[in-house]
Amino acid sequence: MSNLKKESQINALMQQLENKTNFALIKYEKTLHTTLESLRKDLIVSNSKLKIVKNTLFEKAVRRLTPKNKEFNDVAKMTFPLKENTALLLLGEDWSKGLSVFSKFLEKEKSIKFKFGLLENKAYPAKQIEQIAKLPGKDQLIAQLIGTMKAPMSHMTYAMKFNIQKLVYVLNAQSKKAS
């Protein structure tokens, strides 16, 4: 008979994975507890969580979820068997914010790395999830797009005002010489 405590941990993990469909597995080695706590505080702003998980319990939770969700089948194929210390990064609705916070943290802390990620029901290996984390967020991309669309109008307006402004400067200089 399995341990009831472990069974409840597996059920809680299954529930978290079902509720937060966007997550990443993180490898951490020789990372100080204070470092992980500061990361957790940073992640709260983006509605994300970092949770330390046992590899065997995570594997059991994913295997139980596989019949319900086909995405977890990809997770099992790409990551199992899990080795080394593992943390689960549960991302909020806007997963780009949580990933960007984590990416900034990765620049400072070299002992933490991605193992795997599941974003919008698509599995990504470590290299790809790192590249995605470095991309600008949705809000920033929208602002850049609006700025790009607005730039020609701004340039046109400035070009049309330039000659008139130049004439005004010349007239002001002439009036100052005359007085």
Side-chain angles (χ1 to χ4, degrees), residues 74-111:
D74 295 338
V75 172
K77 286 179 184 176
M78 290 180 85
T79 60
F80 293 168
L82 287 173
K83 296 178 182 175
E84 301 164 333
N85 296 334
T86 304
L88 179 64
L89 177 62
L90 296 165
L91 303 165
E93 287 296 317
D94 188 7
W95 50 264
S96 63
K97 288 181 182 177
L99 279 180
S100 70
V101 168
F102 190 77
S103 177
K104 289 176 187 171
F105 189 81
L106 282 178
E107 292 172 5
K108 297 179 220 168
E109 187 66 36
K110 300 297 181 193
S111 65

Side-chain angles (χ1 to χ4, degrees), residues 5-178:
K5 184 178 178 183
K6 288 183 181 180
E7 197 66 37
S8 67
Q9 288 175 346
I10 291 171
N11 290 333
L13 193 56
M14 285 173 53
Q15 193 172 34
Q16 287 176 337
L17 291 175
E18 285 179 325
N19 292 341
K20 302 254 184 180
T21 55
N22 302 316
F23 66 89
L25 289 180
I26 310 301
K27 176 179 101 174
Y28 69 96
E29 289 183 24
K30 300 178 186 175
T31 306
L32 297 174
H33 177 73
T34 54
T35 307
L36 291 175
E37 286 302 318
S38 67
L39 174 60
R40 283 187 174 122
K41 287 178 185 174
D42 293 344
L43 288 170
I44 287 174
V45 176
S46 64
N47 196 21
S48 300
K49 278 182 165 180
L50 183 73
K51 181 178 178 168
I52 306 299
V53 293
K54 289 189 74 163
N55 293 337
T56 55
L57 298 181
F58 181 79
E59 287 177 9
K60 286 180 182 181
V62 169
R63 285 198 176 103
R64 288 183 187 176
L65 288 171
T66 301
K68 296 178 187 175
N69 298 333
K70 300 295 180 195
E71 300 84 33
F72 289 109
N73 195 20
D74 295 338
V75 172
K77 286 179 184 176
M78 290 180 85
T79 60
F80 293 168
L82 287 173
K83 296 178 182 175
E84 301 164 333
N85 296 334
T86 304
L88 179 64
L89 177 62
L90 296 165
L91 303 165
E93 287 296 317
D94 188 7
W95 50 264
S96 63
K97 288 181 182 177
L99 279 180
S100 70
V101 168
F102 190 77
S103 177
K104 289 176 187 171
F105 189 81
L106 282 178
E107 292 172 5
K108 297 179 220 168
E109 187 66 36
K110 300 297 181 193
S111 65
I112 299 175
K113 297 196 183 327
F114 282 108
K115 283 186 174 183
F116 166 81
L118 183 75
L119 302 174
E120 295 182 0
N121 299 326
K122 186 162 181 350
Y124 296 98
K127 295 276 187 196
Q128 287 181 342
I129 199 81
E130 277 184 49
Q131 292 172 344
I132 291 170
K134 291 178 184 176
L135 292 174
K138 183 179 177 182
D139 296 337
Q140 189 176 358
L141 288 173
I142 290 171
Q144 287 176 348
L145 180 64
I146 290 171
T148 303
M149 291 170 61
K150 186 180 170 189
M153 291 185 293
S154 300
H155 290 300
M156 178 72 166
T157 305
Y158 181 74
M160 294 176 87
K161 291 194 301 184
F162 180 75
N163 288 334
I164 295 171
Q165 286 178 341
K166 195 171 183 181
L167 178 64
V168 169
Y169 290 138
V170 170
L171 292 175
N172 280 337
Q174 289 296 336
S175 68
K176 287 180 183 176
K177 283 184 183 179

